[in-house]
Amino acid sequence: MHKSLGRRFSRRGFLAGTGAAAVGITFAPKVGWGVEEPKLNFYNWDTYIGETTLGDFSKAAGIEVKMDLYADNDELFAKLKEGNPGYDVIVPTNDYVERMLAAKMLLPINRGLITNFKNIDPAFQDAAFDPGRKHSMPYMWGTQGIGYRKSAVSSPPDSWKVLLDSDEYSGRIALLSEGIIEAALKYLGYSYNSTDPGEIKQAEALLIKQKPHIKVFAEDNGQDLLLSGEVDLTMEWNGDILQVMEEDDDISYVVPKEGSNVWQDCLCIPAGAPHPENAHKFINYILDAKAGAAIAEFIYYATPNKASRALLGDDYNKNPAIFPTEETLARCEPSLYLGEKLERIREESLTRIFAA
Amino acid sequence: MESWRKNPVVFWLLNLPPAFWLFVFFLVPLGIVWVISFGEKRGVIDIEITWTLANYVRAVEPLYLEIFWKSIVMAGIATLACLIVGYPVAFAIAFAPERLKAILLIAVVLPFWINALIRTYALIAVFRSRGSINFGLEWLWEQANALLGLVGLGELALLGEKFVPVPLLYNNTAVTLGIVYAFFPFMVLPLYANIEKIDRSYIEASLDLGAGQWRTFFSVIFPLTWHGVLSGVIIVFVPALGAFFIPDLLGGTDSQLIGNVIERQFKSANDWPFGGALSFLLMYLTFGALALRAAVSGRKQGLEA
């Protein structure tokens, strides 16, 4: 394993490594592949780490962590696709893990160094998008669903129909600009990852028909629109709605009964990472029961870490907006990377929906 | 003024840094996008340059041409609005007392010291249902209701049971206003520079010879400032044509402009060759506008000569 990591050392990382070795010759390398400077560059989503996690890790491991933030997977992907600008740990969502694997943008993870892997719920110890968990460790997971204002709806909007095929809440609905075709597919009874152009066409027609009742296609800020009273119902990610539920008791979240998207964000080491050894230490630290519990409790997303969950109370573990029922979850699907041809079909569909 | 030809060394020394800048940060990236626009995707990140025209063929499909057209119309309306509002402002500044002039100019330019994205976010706070304008309207509504109550008409609820916020945000009007707000100084400054230069005696002559205020404006002042109008129109129209975050933030469900489509190609759609082709079509449109400007002002000069 060490060798495979060593071979992927970028030139800059290699020079920095030899430089460090030359200066601090008395440092005994703990692991075989050379001395790494005690630094780590973490590229993460905003508000997606515990309040003191980075500081605690620095104290425990003596490694200084610098965190940069990105707003969406596309930004992460675009930043790394022309070469890694120096990040050691990134947090892509499952379909982007797949995409990055296809583009050989991720380093393998040395399981021997991730001793806390045993804390992970067996359901998350393997993944269809990364067979054998060779390149990714689960960080948090969640669902996409409907955030709504309780006082403004006649009954909980537990079906996609309310958003996609009804005029009951005309002009008070926000949809996300991503994932709408997939949600419509789900409503129509097809797979979230349908590859049938005919089915995609039907989803497109449904959305174009519903457009007069939609107020806005939100840029992942549906929760703000809901909180500010701009809309009463919005398609959103559960974590985003959970954060505004803290501020406003009148807001709630439901996963539609037809099923939806279940996603998983993963800790990965991008190719060309200057400090792969530190990256392993960091990932292992995040998977620690206590560290993981502190993060989950702070950001309020569902953790795949069983040991962490055991440390947290019912407020968290029994929260239906964080952990949907098994029954609902069974109808949810992860979004898959379907290849460039299908990406283009969906993109063109999206352009037509927005242009209509 | 001395001609630069007399001192070529100084000329080239002075121009080297900007030329270098232009080359490295403008021409090279532009060239890369141009080359990519003739490429084909081979997998997730690999693009092979095959000099295919397929991306351009796709870019002129009716779907995209309609979006281009819509962008041109929206940018055109916004530019016209900028001109209609900007001309009197520039005129007032040009004819203001010297000391006031500087203050007024700063007032026009000052918002530009704030990032355009932040200014656009600020517009959301102004326009939204629970934003400044609707709060103001609600206050007026309450006052009017109280007044009706005083004269004994309160029971009739003439103004409705409760205040209904005016939907100002998430439509094409909001996008147009956003563009006007973002590019307004670009219109005022060239206009001001031109109006400032007018020889005032022309205006006096026109008025002395019996032309009314309107006639003087349209037959004397406006033609004299024609170049400023053209410059302003071009400088506003060109960036307005490529606007993407303004429709993203302020637009409704039908506010997709070509800038948004291009942005998506470089991000979520991950289709740089097609994005490149769309970008260059947009650029050729811009060149067209500039050529038109050159042609029009050339003809004007020809007539004046």
Side-chain angles (χ1 to χ4, degrees), chain A residues 199-250:
Chain A
E199 292 175 4
I200 295 171
K201 198 84 199 165
Q202 281 180 51
E204 179 189 320
L206 177 77
L207 286 160
I208 290 175
K209 202 179 109 231
Q210 180 69 0
K211 258 182 82 169
H213 307 304
I214 306 297
K215 181 153 189 176
V216 60
F217 292 117
E219 294 283 320
D220 200 12
N221 62 341
Q223 73 275 23
D224 300 330
L225 299 172
L226 194 58
L227 188 64
S228 69
E230 201 67 45
V231 298
D232 291 326
L233 299 107
T234 181
M235 178 178 164
E236 253 304 345
W237 305 101
N238 64 328
D240 288 327
I241 298 298
L242 273 158
Q243 279 165 9
V244 291
M245 276 165 74
E246 298 246 303
E247 293 174 53
D248 189 338
D249 284 343
D250 198 22

Side-chain angles (χ1 to χ4, degrees), chain B residues 278-298:
Chain B
L278 285 173
S279 307
F280 267 86
L281 275 189
L282 187 64
M283 189 122 86
Y284 297 142
L285 271 178
T286 310
F287 286 156
L290 291 174
L292 205 68
R293 178 201 190 282
V296 170
S297 56

Side-chain angles (χ1 to χ4, degrees), chain A residues 48-82:
Chain A
Y48 208 41
I49 189 80
E51 212 169 1
T52 59
T53 310
L54 301 182
D56 293 347
F57 171 72
S58 290
K59 253 182 259 157
I63 293 167
E64 186 193 331
V65 184
K66 191 174 152 282
M67 181 167 74
D68 285 347
L69 305 173
Y70 56 86
D72 53 46
N73 282 303
D74 297 319
E75 193 181 332
L76 168 72
F77 187 79
K79 193 103 166 218
L80 290 172
K81 88 177 222 181
E82 299 299 330

Side-chain angles (χ1 to χ4, degrees), chain A residues 27-268:
Chain A
F27 283 16
K30 279 186 203 136
V31 199
W33 71 71
V35 180
E36 258 175 29
E37 52 176 348
K39 283 185 180 159
L40 180 94
N41 299 319
F42 182 33
Y43 199 26
N44 188 17
W45 302 75
D46 198 3
T47 60
Y48 208 41
I49 189 80
E51 212 169 1
T52 59
T53 310
L54 301 182
D56 293 347
F57 171 72
S58 290
K59 253 182 259 157
I63 293 167
E64 186 193 331
V65 184
K66 191 174 152 282
M67 181 167 74
D68 285 347
L69 305 173
Y70 56 86
D72 53 46
N73 282 303
D74 297 319
E75 193 181 332
L76 168 72
F77 187 79
K79 193 103 166 218
L80 290 172
K81 88 177 222 181
E82 299 299 330
N84 183 352
Y87 294 114
D88 299 303
V89 178
I90 55 173
V91 197
T93 308
N94 47 301
D95 47 330
Y96 278 75
V97 172
E98 232 178 331
R99 220 190 241 211
M100 290 177 146
L101 276 174
K104 298 193 168 51
M105 289 161 72
L106 300 177
L107 290 187
I109 289 176
N110 182 349
R111 189 72 66 73
L113 297 173
I114 312 292
T115 50
N116 286 329
F117 187 69
K118 59 178 192 310
N119 291 339
I120 299 296
D121 187 326
F124 290 93
Q125 289 194 354
D126 199 358
F129 56 86
D130 178 21
R133 282 270 180 218
K134 291 200 177 76
H135 299 81
S136 69
M137 287 290 137
Y139 180 54
M140 292 286 157
W141 66 276
T143 52
Q144 192 170 52
I146 302 172
Y148 62 99
R149 186 164 286 284
K150 287 186 256 179
S151 60
V153 295
S154 53
S155 61
D158 63 350
S159 161
W160 284 119
K161 185 181 176 66
V162 179
L163 293 195
L164 304 177
D165 194 15
S166 147
D167 59 1
E168 187 180 356
Y169 302 109
S170 186
R172 290 151 60 194
I173 300 169
L175 296 183
L176 291 184
S177 44
E178 275 180 58
I180 43 173
I181 296 175
E182 292 81 351
L185 283 166
K186 219 50 196 156
Y187 169 65
L188 294 168
Y190 304 130
S191 163
Y192 194 86
N193 297 297
S194 170
T195 54
D196 179 344
E199 292 175 4
I200 295 171
K201 198 84 199 165
Q202 281 180 51
E204 179 189 320
L206 177 77
L207 286 160
I208 290 175
K209 202 179 109 231
Q210 180 69 0
K211 258 182 82 169
H213 307 304
I214 306 297
K215 181 153 189 176
V216 60
F217 292 117
E219 294 283 320
D220 200 12
N221 62 341
Q223 73 275 23
D224 300 330
L225 299 172
L226 194 58
L227 188 64
S228 69
E230 201 67 45
V231 298
D232 291 326
L233 299 107
T234 181
M235 178 178 164
E236 253 304 345
W237 305 101
N238 64 328
D240 288 327
I241 298 298
L242 273 158
Q243 279 165 9
V244 291
M245 276 165 74
E246 298 246 303
E247 293 174 53
D248 189 338
D249 284 343
D250 198 22
I251 290 175
S252 191
Y253 174 83
V254 60
V255 180
K257 61 181 182 216
E258 294 89 356
S260 177
N261 173 242
V262 55
W263 53 265
Q264 191 183 120
D265 284 342
C266 297
L267 298 160
C268 297

Side-chain angles (χ1 to χ4, degrees), chain A residues 74 77 81 99 102-103 211 214-217 219 225 228 230 337 340 344 347-348 351-352 354-355, chain B residues 41 43-45 58 63-64 67 128-130 170 248 251 253-254 256 264-265 267-270 272:
Chain A
D74 297 319
F77 187 79
K81 88 177 222 181
R99 220 190 241 211
K211 258 182 82 169
I214 306 297
K215 181 153 189 176
V216 60
F217 292 117
E219 294 283 320
L225 299 172
S228 69
E230 201 67 45
Y337 169 65
E340 295 301 312
R344 176 167 159 182
E347 157 62 25
E348 284 184 334
T351 306
R352 277 193 296 270
F354 293 154
Chain B
K41 284 187 65 176
V44 186
I45 45 175
R58 185 177 163 203
L63 172 64
Y64 299 103
I67 301 170
R128 65 179 172 194
S129 298
R130 290 197 211 161
Y170 306 122
D248 256 357
T253 53
D254 61 343
Q256 170 178 254
R264 271 212 312 284
Q265 303 313 314
K267 288 179 76 190
S268 62
N270 187 33
W272 286 35

